[in-house]
Amino acid sequence: MLIAHDFARAVDPVLMATDCGITPDPWQAELLRLNPKRALLLCSRQSGKTTVTALMALHRAIYETGALVVIVSPSNRQSGEMLRQIKKLHGSLKGAPELVGDAVLKVELANGSRIIALPGTEKTIRGIAGVSLVIIDEASRVDDELLAAVRPMLATRADGSLIALTTPAGKRGFFYEAWHSDDQTWHRVRVAASDCPRISKEFLADELRSLGPARYSEEYELAFVDDAASAFPTAVIERAFTTEVEPLWA
Ligand SMILES: Nc1ncnc2c1ncn2[C@@H]1O[C@H](COP(=O)(O)OP(=O)(O)OP(=O)(O)O)[C@@H](O)[C@H]1O
Ligand SMILES: [Mg+2]
């Protein structure tokens, strides 16, 4: 009975999510079931992007023996926060392989799978290879230099997956370029605050008052706006440099 249920969870990550106590929103359920190899999630604050990605990471670690999942973000704190969410979900899932190693930035499961949260500094991440899932949290705010160091991690695994999740942050960087490119290998998911059943109109009105219209349109309406602090609009700055932009993922 338990084995049959575990098999059903392996096949349907939505069942695993509900066993963790989370009923995925429709877009989260679709993403969990699709499990795309390359995904860009452009999602409002508090829409549930970290939660759904944490579920994807946990599913990978449980049902792929010896999987290596790597979390990258602009800071230790953010990568660690994603790992904490994964541990919390794991703790609420009966019958999951036990944690045999548990550190602030790294966990290991009894099936040999590991989940590692990396700090946002490029130097520390060389030498990690054969990764089955790379997660880039707050991807609009991660340096392109760091992303270039992440890319070889997937090189030795034809089936390695990459998920980048973020709110917008200016008209520049890997996420902005990938989101607007015509590269169809990316599965794109867009979730504005108005699409999230848990975000109320009153909360949004408060946020608009405290953030002002420019920040609000980035954080909740997913607008890529020029950095208000910048003296020049992005297009002017880019014309001053080069028109050649190398894609980070071909
Ligand atoms: N399907 C769901 N059902 C119930 N609660 C959910 C669901 N998805 C996410 N949540 C809850 O909503 C809150 C925000 O989720 P989460 O942290 O994943 O959002 P986020 O988009 O990463 O937010 P932020 O932009 O602040 O990082 C959390 O308290 C989370 O537990
Ligand atoms: Mg988050």
Side-chain angles (χ1 to χ4, degrees), residues 37-38 128-134 149-163 249:
K37 215 173 145 225
R38 295 281 180 273
I128 297 178
V131 175
S132 100
L133 172 63
V134 175
V150 165
R151 188 179 164 172
M153 291 182 186
L154 288 165
T156 52
R157 290 265 320 230
D159 59 344
S161 309
L162 174 76
I163 304 172
W249 275 275

Side-chain angles (χ1 to χ4, degrees), residues 22-25 28 44-52 85 138 167 198:
I22 292 176
T23 305
D25 295 339
Q28 292 173 319
S44 151
R45 294 294 315 278
Q46 289 296 297
S47 58
K49 58 190 174 304
T50 300
T51 303
V52 71
Q85 285 216 31
E138 303 291 348
T167 50
R198 284 172 303 282

Side-chain angles (χ1 to χ4, degrees), residues 65 90 96-101 108-113:
T65 301
H90 174 270
E98 277 175 35
L99 295 188
V100 293
E108 186 165 353
L109 272 61
N111 66 356
S113 292

Side-chain angles (χ1 to χ4, degrees), residues 71-84 104-105 117-121 124:
I71 302 162
V72 182
S73 84
S75 71
N76 264 357
R77 187 190 57 73
Q78 279 159 315
S79 308
E81 178 52 37
M82 165 86 76
L83 188 64
R84 255 192 309 284
V104 178
L105 294 177
L118 295 170
T121 44
T124 57

Side-chain angles (χ1 to χ4, degrees), residues 41-44 49 136-141 164-169 175 222 224:
L41 315 184
L42 180 64
C43 301
S44 151
K49 58 190 174 304
I136 307 174
D137 199 3
E138 303 291 348
S140 290
R141 293 169 184 82
L165 54 146
T166 196
T167 50
F175 191 93
L222 310 174
F224 287 93

Side-chain angles (χ1 to χ4, degrees), residues 182-202:
D182 52 14
D183 181 349
Q184 293 307 312
T185 55
W186 291 109
H187 175 74
R188 295 172 176 82
V189 178
R190 187 181 190 282
V191 184
S194 52
D195 303 323
C196 178
R198 284 172 303 282
I199 302 179
S200 71
K201 288 204 169 74
E202 295 72 28

